[in-house]
Amino acid sequence: MLLTMSSFYQLDFERPIRDLEQQIEAAEARLKAASAGTEIVGVPPGVVANLDEIDAVPAADLPGHIESLKAKLSETTRKLYDNLSPWDTVRVARHPQRPQTRDYIQFMCKDFCELHGDRRFGDDPAIVTGFARIDSFKVLVVGHHKGRTTQEKIACHFGCAHPEGYRKALAKMQMAEKFGVPIVTLVDTPGAYPGLGAEQRGQAEAIAVNLREMSRLKTPIISVVIGEGGSGGALGIAVADRVAMMQNAWYSVISPEGCAAILWKTANEQTNTAAARALKLTARDNLGLGIVDDVVQEPVGGAHRNPAAAADLLKAWIVSQLGTLKGVSGDDLIARRYERFRKLGAFQETLEEAVAAEAR
Amino acid sequence: MTQVAARTWTEVRAAKKSPIPEGLWLRCPSCGQMIYRKQMEANLHVCPECQHHFRIGAAERVKQLADTGTFQPMFTNLAPTDPLHFKDLKSYADRLLAEQVKTGQVDAVVSGQAFIKGRPAMVCSLDLTFMMGSMGSVVGETITRTIEHATQAGLPLIIVSCSGGARMQESGLSLMQMAKTSAALARFDDAKGLFISVLTDPTTGGVTASFSMLGDVIIAEPKALIGFAGPRVIQQTIRQELPEGFQRSEFLLQSGIIDRIVKRQDLRSELARIIDYAGK
């Protein structure tokens, strides 16, 4: 338990939560010991929180004390997660215990039938594709996968897909269109893979073609950024009728570190924080800009604290969207999808005549 | 240039100082020879000694491509804003103003109708001198309108790319321009329009990963840097030296990613030739 705790609490800002949980644990241990008539001496191994307070509480008051600690814990967790800085949000989005595409498939879907390979070069494990059932809907699931074990992470290039990944995604999506199956894509990538082979095999072309073709697929497409939405690598599977972000996901044109390295000339804690803020990459910001249509709430304290509950919330949103888009004709879908992206952008527009007059 | 009613980009630029340092002679960065500037400029900004293609701005590009006096600028009424109130070491608003003063342009794109060896076409060029030709909302919107106009008018479409990628200062909105321009190209494709994409040094990032790579025919100037990720990023990722000529036009041709490499002096006739084969 304590071993998993140390890897679970890797975020600085979660320290108050960890301290409270340890206090509760210690109080419960003392209560248990008191009721068994034994006495606890010393501090349990691994605990670093200040537990003197607990020792001062008389055994009779312990149950009440535990209750108040628990109330304080949920309040603290809620407050911390309601007020995450953009850079801390990025950290939560990258949390090693945060559910990934394969986890969500397991939680949300029945009868997942994985389909591999792009039929041209290979099978990129960084993008998972396959048929699945969500609620009463048959869908094609497409999602970035980062990998859980070291071995899996390396095979998946930490969620950075190669051209064959994007081509696999498109091939399966075009098949889904053929059979009238709606598409659900789960976005979770730091960005498309920057490497020799990726460039040689046309990384840019693969993404560009996905953007063009997804815009005219005559089947419903629903996208959710479940963790990291890193630039073109994310957008490459996110041209959809409805786009949402999970509450603690990020979505932007570049990672905060990449942006800091270029515009602040150096990437460190301070510049990353500033870049994350400047990029307006949180779910709330992207909702405000019209880049996403909805924010899918996460359980209090983030999806990593309760993956099953996160999956329930995600599933509910996907099912509701599938219901809304069901029965809309293919032509209407692509016309609306076009308008959805067509209107994005911010610029000043003067009348052509005014420009001409100024020139005279 | 003919004096059309609208303000022309060449006029606006003419009043401003050229971003290339002045001087009668300059040293070619490729062959190291001292070359006479006027001669280099008359040679379409190509080194007369070694054929090194100097980078050129959008106004010069359009002037080179269009039949004399036929270029009519369009969509000049769009100007950038600072939707995110972006501030790094300098605010985006200040940066925009500085770039506008420096270049005499509103943003990093020029678009309009022109004739190329007598063939009508929509011609659009990014401008490297303005914030590295990066694509923000104005560039994305201008390109989209260009594509939509080409679709409606049934004209061939030529877009000359040179860009550092999507514009960070507009973050998510820049990213969305990739989807927007690509979606417009899907409609243009449905209408059987001909899109010739011309890639010049350098074309990288979000521009490559959207409209630039979607040409029916993709042409590149010699030795242009073209790629998704920049060479430095790749080097940091793989932690080894990149092979000679990696991500240059010749490498892309060998990898099967582009159709042709065309020297600048042949570009006009090549475009006309492809329009004759594939245009409506």
Side-chain angles (χ1 to χ4, degrees):
Chain A
M1 179 64 195
L2 287 168
L3 212 116
T4 57
M5 294 275 280
S6 61
S7 71
F8 194 84
Y9 290 107
Q10 52 137 13
L11 306 174
D12 288 345
F13 69 85
E14 286 194 315
R15 203 193 167 95
I17 301 176
R18 187 196 60 185
D19 289 352
L20 276 169
E21 281 189 353
Q22 288 185 346
Q23 285 186 31
I24 292 169
E25 215 177 305
E28 279 174 339
R30 250 176 55 89
L31 182 64
K32 205 173 153 194
S35 59
T38 54
E39 200 170 324
I40 285 195
V41 184
V43 175
V47 169
V48 290
N50 180 9
L51 301 177
D52 293 349
E53 213 185 310
I54 306 288
D55 290 335
V57 179
D61 296 346
L62 270 173
H65 188 69
I66 291 171
E67 278 314 300
S68 77
L69 278 176
K70 280 186 173 168
K72 200 172 156 197
L73 172 68
S74 68
E75 179 64 14
T76 306
T77 312
R78 195 187 56 73
K79 262 198 186 144
L80 275 172
Y81 272 82
D82 278 353
N83 298 298
L84 284 185
S85 75
W87 178 232
D88 281 336
T89 305
V90 173
R91 287 181 164 139
V92 174
R94 290 174 181 165
H95 197 288
Q97 253 89 47
R98 192 173 172 84
Q100 303 180 3
T101 289
R102 285 193 188 277
D103 302 319
Y104 282 121
I105 290 174
Q106 215 165 20
F107 281 121
M108 300 189 307
C109 304
K110 281 178 294 202
D111 194 27
F112 177 56
C113 172
E114 184 164 2
L115 303 166
H116 294 273
D118 71 341
R119 309 255 172 97
R120 296 182 194 184
F121 180 82
D123 182 37
D124 186 352
I127 292 186
V128 177
T129 58
F131 288 127
R133 287 173 196 273
I134 299 183
D135 210 61
S136 62
F137 295 96
K138 289 188 281 188
V139 300
L140 176 85
V141 178
V142 175
H144 297 103
H145 189 69
K146 291 179 161 181
R148 194 64 78 188
T149 63
T150 307
Q151 210 176 5
E152 199 192 4
K153 281 179 193 163
I154 292 168
C156 293
H157 293 99
F158 297 83
C160 298
H162 278 70
E164 50 272 22
Y166 292 101
R167 289 179 182 136
K168 163 167 97 171
L170 181 60
K172 310 310 177 203
M173 289 192 284
Q174 284 171 333
M175 180 182 60
E177 179 196 32
K178 176 178 169 186
F179 299 116
V181 174
I183 299 162
V184 175
T185 78
L186 303 178
V187 176
D188 191 12
T189 180
Y193 191 75
L196 287 176
E199 294 290 325
Q200 194 157 18
R201 300 195 288 276
Q203 184 72 286
E205 194 261 2
I207 293 171
V209 168
N210 277 23
L211 303 185
R212 183 183 66 195
E213 296 310 320
M214 284 185 85
S215 79
R216 57 179 169 185
L217 282 178
K218 292 184 179 178
T219 191
I221 309 176
I222 292 162
S223 290
V224 186
V225 185
I226 56 171
E228 299 194 75
S231 196
L235 185 63
I237 60 166
V239 179
D241 300 300
R242 300 283 292 168
V243 185
M245 286 173 74
M246 300 282 286
Q247 190 186 350
N248 295 308
W250 69 269
Y251 193 16
S252 154
V253 73
I254 190 167
S255 69
E257 295 96 326
C259 180
I262 298 169
L263 293 180
W264 277 265
K265 317 290 179 205
T266 170
N268 56 39
E269 185 63 18
Q270 197 190 348
T271 56
N272 291 345
T273 306
R277 193 172 300 281
L279 284 169
K280 302 279 189 286
L281 45 65
T282 66
R284 204 179 302 163
D285 287 332
N286 277 295
L287 183 69
L289 292 167
I291 291 167
V292 300
D293 309 299
D294 259 320
V295 176
V296 178
Q297 292 301 308
E298 291 180 25
V300 174
H304 60 284
R305 226 171 224 92
N306 193 344
D312 283 344
L313 291 163
L314 177 61
K315 183 180 173 181
W317 186 81
I318 291 171
V319 169
S320 76
Q321 301 307 311
L322 286 169
T324 322
L325 294 171
K326 195 181 171 185
V328 181
S329 78
D331 288 330
D332 283 350
L333 280 173
I334 62 169
R336 286 185 215 170
R337 198 179 303 150
Y338 188 83
E339 286 313 317
R340 187 197 178 281
F341 286 92
R342 181 68 188 83
K343 67 177 198 293
L344 291 174
F347 48 85
Q348 285 174 337
E349 184 168 13
T350 45
L351 292 170
E352 295 261 11
E353 295 78 41
V355 177
E358 190 200 323
R360 281 195 294 272
Chain B
M1 295 292 304
T2 46
Q3 292 304 306
V4 288
R7 169 170 63 169
T8 65
W9 290 95
T10 38
E11 282 167 4
V12 177
R13 266 183 72 81
K16 306 290 171 185
K17 196 166 159 279
S18 159
I20 307 167
E22 292 301 326
L24 279 177
W25 294 83
L26 77 163
R27 192 177 290 281
C28 171
S30 177
C31 66
Q33 289 278 337
M34 288 303 286
I35 49 177
Y36 189 44
R37 180 182 296 279
K38 284 244 169 75
Q39 194 189 355
M40 180 275 280
E41 286 175 0
N43 196 31
L44 304 175
H45 291 77
V46 174
C47 172
E49 302 292 332
C50 73
Q51 297 296 306
H52 171 71
H53 286 50
F54 284 83
R55 293 174 175 183
I56 56 175
E60 172 66 22
R61 173 68 65 182
V62 163
K63 199 174 101 190
Q64 287 187 9
L65 290 183
D67 296 349
T68 312
T70 63
F71 181 71
Q72 296 196 27
M74 293 168 73
F75 320 119
T76 53
N77 56 331
L78 305 179
T81 60
D82 180 11
L84 310 183
H85 307 289
F86 194 98
K87 191 165 187 299
D88 48 274
L89 299 176
K90 198 173 169 184
S91 80
Y92 180 40
D94 289 347
R95 223 179 257 275
L96 279 174
L97 195 64
E99 292 285 318
Q100 286 168 342
V101 169
K102 183 188 89 183
T103 62
Q105 294 186 174
V106 180
D107 209 311
V109 66
V110 168
S111 174
Q113 273 188 60
F115 285 86
I116 295 174
K117 298 214 159 191
R119 294 136 181 100
M122 286 302 288
V123 178
C124 182
S125 175
L126 299 186
D127 197 314
L128 207 58
T129 62
F130 194 102
M131 287 190 83
M132 271 306 283
S134 58
M135 173 161 69
S137 298
V138 170
V139 172
E141 181 70 18
T142 305
I143 286 172
T144 306
R145 288 189 189 193
T146 305
I147 299 165
E148 286 175 341
H149 186 84
T151 312
Q152 282 153 18
L155 289 170
L157 169 69
I158 295 156
I159 303 178
V160 183
S161 296
C162 47
S163 174
R167 191 173 292 173
M168 280 176 285
Q169 289 87 346
E170 294 185 29
S171 193
L173 292 175
S174 298
L175 185 64
M176 293 302 122
Q177 306 310 309
M178 293 169 62
K180 187 162 108 180
T181 53
S182 303
L185 283 171
R187 288 192 165 184
F188 186 58
D189 183 54
D190 286 339
K192 306 244 181 286
L194 164 67
F195 170 31
I196 307 173
S197 178
V198 181
L199 312 180
T200 68
D201 186 54
T203 303
T204 58
V207 167
T208 326
S210 59
F211 61 87
S212 287
M213 276 293 161
L214 295 175
D216 295 295
V217 177
I218 304 178
I219 287 173
E221 285 194 337
K223 293 184 183 158
L225 175 77
I226 300 159
F228 173 68
R232 249 181 311 164
V233 176
I234 297 173
Q235 210 159 350
Q236 280 163 13
T237 312
I238 63 170
R239 294 174 200 284
Q240 50 180 300
E241 284 297 305
L242 299 174
E244 180 75 20
F246 178 64
Q247 292 187 311
R248 297 284 162 184
S249 307
E250 295 70 18
F251 168 88
L252 270 85
L253 188 75
Q254 253 185 3
S255 305
I257 293 167
I258 59 173
D259 292 290
R260 287 178 75 75
I261 295 174
V262 175
K263 287 186 206 144
R264 199 172 283 166
Q265 48 266 53
D266 300 332
L267 201 49
R268 260 166 64 78
S269 48
E270 281 286 317
L271 291 173
R273 187 176 169 203
I274 294 163
I275 290 172
D276 286 349
Y277 272 115
K280 279 190 263 192

